[in-house]
Amino acid sequence: MNRKEIEEEVIRNYQRDEQMMILVFAQWCVNHGLNPEELYARAYPAQEVNPLLQQTLELIVPKEESSPIPDDTLLGVLSLFGNDDLAFVVTEEIAARRKPSR
């Protein structure tokens, strides 16, 4: 492989992994009764609609058909991609879920 082919392969791998990260995020949201688009907009209010998130929403399954996604797994995946703002919003949702209701 020449340098250009290696660079193209690295880009393809990153894009594939990024889509997997978005899929994990979106499925986690659905599993917890949350809207992935709303959480994403809270994390990145100045951004336009994320087209990759829109595409990924077509791949998620109903909560009943999904395997559980541990909170720590999602936070780890978001961290790998530097999605600190989204991880912060997710952490808020985790804390709200764990807070005892009165």
Side-chain angles (χ1 to χ4, degrees):
M1 286 182 121
N2 66 33
R3 181 177 170 88
K4 183 170 174 46
E5 290 171 329
I6 291 171
E7 288 173 359
E8 289 172 354
E9 183 68 20
V10 167
I11 291 169
R12 278 192 301 275
N13 287 340
Y14 181 85
Q15 289 170 335
R16 184 188 66 239
D17 292 346
E18 182 182 31
Q19 184 168 14
M20 183 57 66
M21 178 266 306
I22 293 172
L23 180 59
V24 170
F25 162 71
Q27 189 64 59
W28 179 90
C29 288
V30 168
N31 290 357
H32 292 283
L34 302 168
N35 183 320
E37 294 169 299
E38 288 177 12
L39 263 65
Y40 190 88
R42 278 178 36 204
Y44 305 106
Q47 271 191 17
E48 297 289 321
V49 173
N50 183 322
L52 195 50
L53 176 59
Q54 296 298 308
Q55 290 173 344
T56 303
L57 291 177
E58 298 172 13
L59 303 174
I60 57 176
V61 296
K63 176 182 179 176
E64 300 76 30
E65 296 176 25
S66 173
S67 297
I69 299 171
D71 299 339
D72 290 341
T73 298
L74 174 60
L75 292 172
V77 169
L78 293 175
S79 176
L80 282 173
F81 282 84
N83 280 320
D84 298 331
D85 294 337
L86 191 53
F88 181 79
V89 170
V90 166
T91 301
E92 288 179 333
E93 291 297 327
I94 293 169
R97 185 179 74 226
R98 291 180 179 168
K99 192 179 206 177
S101 57
R102 295 183 183 196

